[in-house]
Amino acid sequence: MTMTNKEIVRSCIDCGSCSCDGSSGNYPEFCPTTDISQELVEQVRDIYIEDDENSQVAINAALVEAEGYGKLTRVEEIAEFAHKMGFETIGIATCVGLIKEARAAASVFRTKGFKVYSIGCKVAAQPKTSIGIDKKCESSGVNMCNPILQAKLLNNCETNLNVVVGLCVGHDSLFYKYSEALVTTLVTKDRVLAHNPCAALYQLDSYYSRILEK
């Protein structure tokens, strides 16, 4: 079915001015900024200010951005953020297919003084069929990815910050859901594009135009 313009809901992705960032002052008619109640804005502002963890995360994230803008790599930013937060222990939830990358990240974090725990996605070696996954899915491996157990084991380690390294789509969602510590992502899995999913977005008008097919 061909989608008409009437069926498209316009929002921030359709904006050309980004005036909320102070660039021009021109807001399109569909801009959420002009349609948000002041009451909601103030409620959210209070959530940042009145919750100590929220406040510290927002402030230290802004400091890392300002101090390392265009200079620090993602793994360095994570370490710097953890330092500013006063964290001592970092957990790594990794895909077993990216153990090499997770090991490299751990070496960075350990060098910078953090205690590091890591749990691989196949931990406990449970068959996919044990939770109702169709046997045909064994074509990519017999044992299931177990992001909930990854989260619970890292919870038991009392990690201060958990770092995701290449968990599958959906598995990462479950890990975020069950992690008691704050979570950030170091690597987003894309098996086709060497874990650089933006490459497909950069080439929608050429090599990856097929993605836009209905």
Side-chain angles (χ1 to χ4, degrees):
M1 183 180 75
T2 302
M3 181 176 286
T4 65
N5 289 337
K6 183 177 290 187
E7 294 170 309
I8 295 176
V9 178
R10 300 293 180 187
S11 59
C12 291
I13 54 172
D14 303 296
C15 178
S17 67
C18 293
S19 293
C20 55
D21 196 31
S23 57
S24 72
N26 297 317
Y27 296 98
E29 292 182 2
F30 54 81
C31 179
T33 294
T34 60
D35 195 39
I36 300 173
S37 71
Q38 188 59 30
E39 180 182 10
L40 177 58
V41 171
E42 292 173 0
Q43 286 176 354
V44 172
R45 185 185 299 139
D46 288 344
I47 293 173
Y48 285 108
I49 296 171
E50 295 173 1
D51 184 291
D52 184 59
E53 182 181 55
N54 292 346
S55 178
Q56 290 303 307
V57 169
I59 289 170
N60 288 316
L63 285 171
V64 170
E65 179 188 19
E67 295 169 3
Y69 200 93
K71 295 180 290 185
L72 295 182
T73 62
R74 178 74 177 200
V75 70
E76 291 174 299
E77 286 184 333
I78 292 171
E80 185 63 21
F81 172 74
H83 275 307
K84 289 184 183 300
M85 290 294 296
F87 294 158
E88 297 179 353
T89 306
I90 291 177
I92 298 178
T94 183
C95 168
V96 295
L98 284 90
I99 287 291
K100 180 179 178 181
E101 291 82 353
R103 187 178 295 121
S107 69
V108 172
F109 298 142
R110 285 169 174 161
T111 298
K112 296 184 180 299
F114 296 101
K115 182 184 294 185
V116 179
Y117 293 98
S118 179
I119 305 294
C121 62
K122 301 293 186 179
V123 63
Q126 296 298 291
K128 291 178 178 177
T129 54
S130 68
I131 63 166
I133 295 174
D134 197 302
K135 192 172 179 62
K136 67 183 180 182
C137 294
E138 289 183 348
S139 60
S140 58
V142 173
N143 290 332
M144 62 180 278
C145 295
N146 205 333
I148 296 176
L149 185 55
Q150 284 180 287
K152 288 188 174 292
L153 291 174
L154 289 177
N155 291 344
N156 290 343
C157 293
E158 298 183 344
T159 52
N160 304 126
L161 177 69
N162 288 330
V163 177
V164 167
V165 176
L167 297 187
C168 296
V169 172
H171 296 154
D172 54 359
S173 302
L174 287 172
F175 181 81
Y176 301 143
K177 182 177 180 179
Y178 285 91
S179 172
E180 293 176 359
L182 292 169
V183 182
T184 191
T185 299
L186 175 58
V187 179
T188 300
K189 177 183 286 174
D190 190 320
R191 298 178 184 90
V192 174
L193 297 173
H195 313 304
N196 177 22
C198 278
L201 305 180
Y202 296 144
Q203 300 184 77
L204 283 179
D205 59 350
S206 55
Y207 297 111
Y208 282 95
S209 59
R210 62 174 174 78
I211 297 175
L212 292 174
E213 295 174 2
K214 296 290 191 295

